[in-house]
Amino acid sequence: LDSFIADDILLKLNAVELMDALGSFPAGQELLSRGGTPEKLARDLTDPYCDPSVRLCVARLLGLVVRRSPEALAALLPGREAPLAQTVAGLLDSSDPAERLCGLNAWANISRTKGGLAFFLQWEGRLQHVLAHVASTQNEVCKGAMACWSAVLEERPPAAGGGGGEAPELELWKVAEQRLLPLVLKNVQGKPFPDVRFHVWHLLASLVRSRSAAQQVVPSKEMQEVLLDFTSEENSEARIAKHTFVVALQQHEDWLSSFLDDRVMEILAEYARQGPHWQPRSA
């Protein structure tokens, strides 16, 4: 840790891999959150000559530190001009897919804290970038963006009945239902690769926990073409994710019949019971 914080660039470069490893497990994250270490790491982000590998490493580490120790947020993100904020913004806007993915992961880790979520929801320019990456033509960026949105949403169930709850969670679900969901639905048809489709269904399963989102998904053209197509997914992971989505839909069975006929309801209920590799005899 001392070698990485030192000014010697050769020591820093040799310590990058070790620092990545240190931040990958809870005890290492706990160490990095103590003794003013986050602030020391953030100083590298203000150095215009900082090596790109060091910058990516620090951005990743500080995202993990904030997620584990939300009290560090006040020192690391006092405003949009803070070094960490500007670094994440720059990574999200980068043309390099690896830098975009690093920015997305830092955004997700920070946004898994209440204060971090509020910070980014109020920063429209960065929020728009995070949303736009869901529709990226680069599959790795698209997958990373959907995985990050899933991570941010899965720990925050929507408010029951569409009301109540607390900000910023209410604002998060408003963004998810109104701005994120249409992009994900386009991916149902527009992203044929199995590794991407896993993330599409996984994110949809998180989204349809919201009644408002589910009522947009079920009657959509994109869903009508694949919901009962039991050959739509080519690999096991995507099939499992699609099944998880259908299981999540079952919580809304009280109103699903308004959109689906009884035979379709029976097929979906049986599919949810039998598992991801089940097919009706007539399929």
Side-chain angles (χ1 to χ4, degrees), residues 147-192:
C148 286
W149 276 106
S150 293
V152 172
L153 287 167
E154 66 186 5
E155 298 174 353
R156 297 180 168 98
E166 299 181 1
E169 285 79 7
L170 284 176
E171 181 63 24
L172 171 67
W173 277 99
K174 180 180 177 182
V175 169
E177 293 163 0
Q178 297 179 7
R179 301 170 65 181
L180 174 63
L181 181 57
L183 299 173
V184 183
L185 283 174
K186 288 181 180 178
N187 286 348
V188 172
Q189 287 187 325
K191 298 292 183 180

Side-chain angles (χ1 to χ4, degrees), residues 102-181:
C102 181
L104 284 165
N105 281 309
W107 166 81
N109 281 319
I110 294 168
S111 295
R112 291 173 80 173
T113 70
K114 189 170 185 177
L117 177 63
F119 180 87
F120 281 112
L121 285 174
Q122 293 167 7
W123 197 355
E124 175 59 31
R126 297 312 102 194
L127 179 61
Q128 181 56 44
H129 274 85
V130 177
L131 286 163
H133 289 326
V134 170
S136 174
T137 56
Q138 295 172 317
N139 282 342
E140 292 303 316
V141 173
C142 175
K143 289 191 299 182
M146 288 191 288
C148 286
W149 276 106
S150 293
V152 172
L153 287 167
E154 66 186 5
E155 298 174 353
R156 297 180 168 98
E166 299 181 1
E169 285 79 7
L170 284 176
E171 181 63 24
L172 171 67
W173 277 99
K174 180 180 177 182
V175 169
E177 293 163 0
Q178 297 179 7
R179 301 170 65 181
L180 174 63
L181 181 57

Side-chain angles (χ1 to χ4, degrees), residues 47-48 95 99 150 162 222:
D47 181 0
S95 59
E99 292 189 352
S150 293
E222 294 89 349

Side-chain angles (χ1 to χ4, degrees), residues 88-99:
V88 173
L91 293 173
L92 289 172
D93 197 29
S94 173
S95 59
D96 183 337
E99 292 189 352

